[in-house]
Amino acid sequence: MKVSVWVAPVASVIILLGSVGVATVTGDWVTSGRQQFVQGQETSSGDVKGWMTLEGVAQGAGIGLDELIKEAGLPADIATRVPLKDLKETLPDFEISEVRDAVERLS
Amino acid sequence: MQRVKRARHLTQFVFGGFIIVAGVRHQLSPDGGTASVDALCPFGAVETLATWIMTGAMISKIHPSNLVLGLALLVGTLLVGNAFCGWICPFGAIQDALSWVRRTLHIPSVTLPHALDAALRWGRFVVLAVILYFSYATARLWFADYDPYVTLFGLHWLFEGPSDALWIALGILGVVVAGSVVIDRFWCRYLCPLGGVLSVVGRFSLIRIRRSTASCTDCTLCDKPCPVGIEPSKAKPFVSADCIGCMDCVATCPVPHALTLSAPVFLGIPRPGAEPAPTATRAHRESVHAGRES
């Protein structure tokens, strides 16, 4: 049986976009493994990742930002909205483990 | 012909634009929480498949979105054939654009000898095997460091400082771009691991492009626009499973019913009696041949 030349491309696009639509509705369209913090949500030190910011860690752990910075031994004027993995560019001796340890002690 | 081509290029443009926007958004996102181009590639489902089967977990940087896209591609290819590569894949669109640049600048293309071309097409499966091994062994998205799709659309080259890994990735991308300038769809033909998977799945498609040996005049006009050089004029009766579903060959064919989209096809086996009745008259055949020779 002859089929229109448009069937394959149109059906392919519909199937692809339809699947994304269905997955979005069912909550299965997840494109990132990064769980967003909720205010005051408990965060264990092991949850501290390089992509997180100091603000995000403090918020997630339910501790004060200034308190976290002081406990981690970081300068008071440190950028708090920069991913932790990028802080090394301005603070060569910085290690993410310092923040993890600080969260551990403060939690 | 022109309507199909225009629609295809428009579709490619839309999906390509979407991926570029996604790459920019991901790079500009303060917490990187928006979808990366990795998360929007169906090949991620293949990369994590072994780990998912063995452990129930996914390798790092692979998300449910990859599985959704991979499953959609599998179902789509089984139902209507592989049109993803020809119409949707942004990296395929870039290669088509490079071919257009070559034609515009009158740069000569390279045609490899048939035997070498056939041998090099196995490269897709070699690349696939290497990726599957290292993805499973390292439990991470190992290929992302070398993948020209990620290198180009991930925009790390634009937003991040140079690194050894980035230079290697840019070198691979450079080779692929250079290859695609002189050989249409160089990456798709010889190296794309997803294309390798789809060429296997495509053999089981319910819809295939079929050549009627009774109607075909062997004018080979359909071979000229084929971006992956699979020579539909030699199909017996279904075109190669390497077909990317661009439909340029079907739209180009001057003989009614000589090259058609045929359904349903079961396991690529032609049904007896499914061959369309010959439609090309002697005068038609002679006019096509005369047009080819003039």
Side-chain angles (χ1 to χ4, degrees), chain B residues 126-148:
Chain B
V126 173
V127 173
L128 176 65
V130 170
I131 293 170
L132 290 183
Y133 172 75
F134 281 106
S135 297
Y136 181 70
T138 63
R140 70 182 192 88
L141 200 57
W142 175 83
F143 186 52
D145 293 343
Y146 313 103
D147 187 346

Side-chain angles (χ1 to χ4, degrees), chain B:
Chain B
M1 167 72 181
Q2 282 306 317
R3 263 194 341 154
V4 173
K5 251 192 169 168
R6 270 202 295 268
R8 185 163 79 89
H9 293 326
L10 179 64
T11 310
Q12 287 178 307
F13 185 79
V14 170
F15 279 97
F18 169 77
I19 282 294
I20 291 171
V21 170
V24 171
R25 281 190 67 207
H26 184 71
Q27 289 288 350
L28 294 179
S29 167
D31 63 358
T34 62
S36 67
V37 296
D38 297 308
L40 299 173
C41 179
F43 186 61
V46 181
E47 290 171 285
T48 199
L49 191 61
T51 305
W52 194 45
I53 291 170
M54 299 296 282
T55 67
M58 286 183 278
I59 61 176
S60 67
K61 286 193 174 183
I62 291 294
H63 312 294
S65 60
N66 296 104
L67 299 183
V68 171
L69 293 172
L71 187 62
L73 187 54
L74 176 69
V75 171
T77 305
L78 286 174
L79 288 180
V80 296
N82 172 23
F84 173 84
C85 300
W87 289 72
I88 298 170
C89 177
F91 202 67
I94 291 294
Q95 291 173 90
D96 285 347
L98 290 170
S99 296
W100 176 80
V101 169
R102 186 199 69 229
R103 288 193 300 272
T104 305
L105 298 178
H106 302 291
I107 298 170
S109 64
V110 173
T111 305
L112 299 181
H114 185 73
L116 179 60
D117 175 75
L120 288 177
R121 285 178 194 267
W122 286 97
R124 295 171 298 168
F125 298 100
V126 173
V127 173
L128 176 65
V130 170
I131 293 170
L132 290 183
Y133 172 75
F134 281 106
S135 297
Y136 181 70
T138 63
R140 70 182 192 88
L141 200 57
W142 175 83
F143 186 52
D145 293 343
Y146 313 103
D147 187 346
Y149 158 81
V150 174
T151 306
L152 183 63
F153 294 110
L155 302 177
H156 301 290
W157 52 272
L158 188 61
F159 287 89
E160 295 172 15
S163 66
D164 290 346
L166 187 58
W167 282 119
I168 293 171
L170 286 173
I172 293 171
L173 177 62
V175 169
V176 171
V177 167
S180 300
V181 170
V182 292
I183 298 177
D184 287 344
R185 293 257 183 169
F186 171 78
W187 170 259
C188 307
R189 286 189 196 205
Y190 305 128
L191 295 169
C192 180
L194 182 58
V197 173
L198 294 179
S199 75
V200 174
V201 177
R203 290 174 194 278
F204 305 100
S205 296
L206 290 175
I207 294 181
R208 300 277 296 271
I209 295 175
R210 179 186 184 123
R211 170 178 164 263
S212 164
T213 49
S215 299
C216 179
T217 62
D218 296 320
C219 67
T220 70
L221 281 176
C222 56
D223 292 346
K224 290 188 175 67
C226 180
V228 284
I230 56 172
E231 299 183 323
S233 68
K234 293 183 176 60
K236 292 177 184 172
F238 300 113
V239 300
S240 163
D242 289 352
C243 174
I244 58 169
C246 68
M247 303 297 157
D248 285 358
C249 58
V250 179
T252 302
C253 181
V255 182
H257 308 304
L259 212 52
T260 56
L261 213 53
S262 179
V265 177
F266 295 103
L267 305 176
I269 302 167
R271 278 185 305 143
E275 172 104 344
T279 53
T281 62
R282 173 180 287 275
H284 195 145
R285 286 170 191 249
E286 285 173 354
S287 69
V288 168
H289 281 277
R292 188 184 56 173
E293 286 160 10
S294 60

Side-chain angles (χ1 to χ4, degrees), chain A residues 31-93:
Chain A
T31 59
S32 172
R34 301 176 180 187
Q35 295 171 347
Q36 301 301 317
F37 285 129
V38 177
Q39 183 86 36
Q41 180 181 312
E42 286 289 320
T43 297
S44 71
S45 60
D47 292 335
V48 176
K49 310 287 185 190
W51 60 266
M52 296 176 179
T53 63
L54 283 169
E55 273 190 14
V57 172
Q59 195 176 34
I63 53 181
L65 179 59
D66 294 338
E67 196 182 3
L68 175 64
I69 290 171
K70 190 177 172 187
E71 186 66 30
L74 300 170
D77 60 347
I78 192 168
T80 57
R81 292 185 176 181
V82 171
L84 298 178
K85 63 183 169 63
D86 295 337
L87 287 178
K88 244 183 165 9
E89 289 172 14
T90 47
L91 288 172
D93 296 332

